[in-house]
Amino acid sequence: MRYIIIGAGAVGGTIGGRLAQSGREVVLVARGAHLDAIRQDGLHLLSPHGTVTLPVTAAAGPEEIDLRPDDVLVLAVKTQDSQEILSAWAPRPVAGGGTAADVLPLLCAQNAVENERMALRLFRHVYGVCVWLPALHLSPGAVVSHGAPLSGLLTLGRYPGGTDETIERIAADLRGAMFLAPVVPDVMRWKYGKLLTNLGNAPQAICGLAPGAGPLVERLLDEGRAVLAAAGIPFTSPEEEARVRGDQVHEVAVDGLDRPGGSSWQSLAKGSGSIEADYLNGEIILLGRLHGVPVPANETVRRLAAEFAREQRPPGSMSLPDLLKLVEEEAAAR
């Protein structure tokens, strides 16, 4: 199998880098200065195990790659970018006949729960990947993997449910590349559980790693759990995820530096102009409106995160007391 990693940022770069390091054939799809740096100097993968430079093939998009029937597409972009990218890859021809949409497996190694639904409209063989992978990408040509002793927990399964030989083979390759990779028949239950934990991404991006944010995050989670219960959607608990992860993946410092923030924090730090809150807190808002469950705290943090991204405000530029005041004021006004 050849792995084509679409989106070689923190998650995609770590997955692709570890697969390449284990001897698998990998193509990293990136853009801008990150693409140029990988092409010129390879991918620099920093981790608690040391730094390696990997001479990985890099491409700007599907037009630069001759697809083969043994290719695996791994989508690792933010959800707000998925539709455009899926539409670009789906019609590409595959050697031997057919298109990528008809022939190739597509793995959604992303936060949120909307990507698989988007993909299944276009691709025949869609797989979910629940990602627990602490990593960082802020500088061109480099990603930092903070997971140890393994780089991450990647829970895999067919979408909407089940398992098959293809995902078992992919999981075996991932296990050989420093990942914990269980295959489950209910991968979306895992992804909804991860969705709940990601509800805290927006306030972290807005306020930074502010002490005292716990009660707000718990309020976001309470709203999320209430919505999923009303919708009849099952989800894993943090305790179940922790039991599977065990002592095999911990977030640790690299070169004495802790990871400064999660994926939403990194989007603001890079000034990307977009943020995934619409598909994290926004998913809870959508379900709340569909099922008549009020979710005022999620509404406020989603709106603010979107404003921060649109205005390219730096992460952590609002104080926690100011955010809490807004949450209370807007909840009272609804």
Side-chain angles (χ1 to χ4, degrees), residues 221-238:
L221 290 170
D222 285 344
E223 292 181 357
R225 287 188 285 257
V227 160
L228 294 184
I233 297 172
F235 54 91
T236 54
S237 67

Side-chain angles (χ1 to χ4, degrees), residues 14-15 18-19 133 150-152 154 174-175 177-181:
T14 299
I15 293 173
R18 287 302 192 201
L19 283 167
L133 195 164
L150 300 182
S151 293
L154 304 174
L174 291 169
R175 292 182 198 118
M178 297 183 66
F179 294 103
L180 183 62

Side-chain angles (χ1 to χ4, degrees), residues 28 78 102 153 174 199 207 284 295:
L28 297 180
K78 299 291 196 303
D102 292 328
L153 166 61
L174 291 169
L199 298 180
C207 300
I284 299 304
V295 290

Side-chain angles (χ1 to χ4, degrees), residues 203-204 206-217 316 318-324:
Q204 183 193 83
I206 294 165
C207 300
L209 296 173
L216 172 59
V217 173
M318 176 180 280
S319 72
L320 180 60
D322 285 345
L323 174 57
L324 294 174

Side-chain angles (χ1 to χ4, degrees), residues 131-154:
V131 177
W132 199 96
L133 195 164
L136 177 69
H137 164 59
L138 292 177
S139 59
V143 294
V144 184
S145 170
H146 285 270
L150 300 182
S151 293
L153 166 61
L154 304 174

Side-chain angles (χ1 to χ4, degrees), residues 17 70 334:
D70 66 334
R334 287 191 174 94

